[in-house]
Amino acid sequence: MQTAQTTIDADEVARFSAMADEWWDPTGKFRPLHKFNPIRLGYIRDRLCAHFDRDPRSLTPLDGLTLLDVGCGGGLLSEPLARMGAIVTGIDASEKNIGTARAHAARSDVEIDYRCSTAEDLMAAGETFDIVLSLEVVEHVADVDLFLDSCTALVRDGGAMILATLNRTPKAFMFGIVGAEYVMRWLPRGTHDWKKFVRPSELSRGLRRNGVDVSDISGLSFNPLSDEWRVSGDVSVNYILFGTK
C-alpha cells in the first residue's frame, strides 16, 4: 500500500473547521466530548502520575512536564491539563480550531502554546515531549502508520503516550455511528467513517514498532440509564491506551 506523505485528510479538517465555533458549547455538536471529558482526564492524570511518580491528589500533579496534545481541536483537553501544571503545546491542522483554542485560553487566563501544525512537522523539526496524547483523532487521519510513526517520535525516552479512538467492530458501527449520529444525534451525520476505526491490536502493533510499550488498554463505556461514562474493561466501542517509551 502506498503511503501518503501527510496525515491530513482535507475533508476531515474542513468538517471540524466548520464546527470550530461550537467547541466550548456543552450542549452543541461536541456535547459527547464534554460528557466524557472528566473520565478521560481522570484516566490521563492517574496513569501519568503513576508513571512519573506524582501525587494524583495534588492540584498540579503534572507540574513541569511537557505535554503535546495532537489534534487539540478547541482545547478541551489542553486547558485542564495546563491547569494540572503541564507545559502544554496543542497542535491542530485547522486554523479555525487553533483560533478558537487561543481565544478561549486567553479568556480563561491559561498559558498554552497553540500552533496550526501536524505531528509530522514537529517530528521533522526534532521536537520531543515528556507526554504525547491524541484522543479521538487517529480515526480522522489520512495515514495511520505515518501518524503513529510521527507521534511516537515526539515522545522522549522515558516518556508516555496516550491514544483514544473507536474500535472497528460491528458494535462500534451500531453505537458510534448509527446510535450517536442518526438516533441520538449527538454528532453530525458523517462525523465518522467506520472503515477508518482502528482496532487496539493495530494501534499496539504500530506503537511497538516504534519502541512504545503498551501497558494498558481500557474501554470508555456509556451508561444510557445514568447518562454517564466510565472506564471499563469493554473495548468494543470506545477505548483509551497508555504506553511508555
Side-chain angles (χ1 to χ4, degrees), residues 5-8 68 70 91-93 115-129 146-147 149-151 153-154:
Q5 296 305 305
T6 179
T7 61
I8 295 174
L68 175 67
V70 180
I91 63 171
D92 199 280
R115 313 178 199 172
C116 185
S117 188
T118 63
E120 59 266 31
D121 288 341
L122 269 63
M123 176 183 68
E127 297 196 47
T128 57
F129 303 83
L146 177 60
F147 183 75
D149 293 348
S150 302
C151 287
L154 297 169

Side-chain angles (χ1 to χ4, degrees), residues 166-179 194 197 235-238:
L166 287 139
N167 201 346
R168 196 170 65 256
T169 63
K171 185 176 178 181
F173 178 82
M174 291 301 301
F175 284 85
I177 296 181
V178 176
W194 182 81
F197 289 1
V235 301
S236 60
V237 183
N238 296 84

Side-chain angles (χ1 to χ4, degrees), residues 201-222:
S201 59
E202 294 166 345
L203 271 193
S204 298
R205 185 165 58 249
L207 297 182
R208 285 196 303 269
R209 185 181 70 244
N210 286 283
V212 173
D213 177 41
V214 177
S215 57
D216 181 76
I217 303 175
S218 294
L220 297 173
S221 301
F222 178 69

Side-chain angles (χ1 to χ4, degrees), residues 136-195:
E136 282 70 52
V137 174
V138 69
E139 70 271 23
H140 299 290
V141 302
D143 187 325
V144 173
D145 286 339
L146 177 60
F147 183 75
L148 295 179
D149 293 348
S150 302
C151 287
T152 52
L154 297 169
V155 183
R156 291 175 179 159
D157 288 343
M161 185 167 189
I162 302 173
L163 297 172
T165 188
L166 287 139
N167 201 346
R168 196 170 65 256
T169 63
K171 185 176 178 181
F173 178 82
M174 291 301 301
F175 284 85
I177 296 181
V178 176
E181 297 182 18
Y182 290 83
V183 179
M184 303 299 291
R185 297 185 181 179
W186 286 344
L187 299 167
R189 293 183 181 182
T191 296
H192 290 114
D193 178 352
W194 182 81
K195 295 189 295 293

Side-chain angles (χ1 to χ4, degrees), residues 20 43 46 56 60 73 80 132 149 164-165 171 185 197 216 229 231-232:
Y43 178 95
D46 292 347
T60 55
V132 173
D149 293 348
T165 188
K171 185 176 178 181
R185 297 185 181 179
F197 289 1
D216 181 76
W229 289 84
V231 177
S232 74

Side-chain angles (χ1 to χ4, degrees), residues 27-40:
T27 63
K29 292 177 181 177
F30 294 102
R31 178 176 177 267
L33 296 184
H34 285 272
K35 291 290 291 185
F36 75 166
N37 223 26
I39 298 301
R40 302 191 302 173

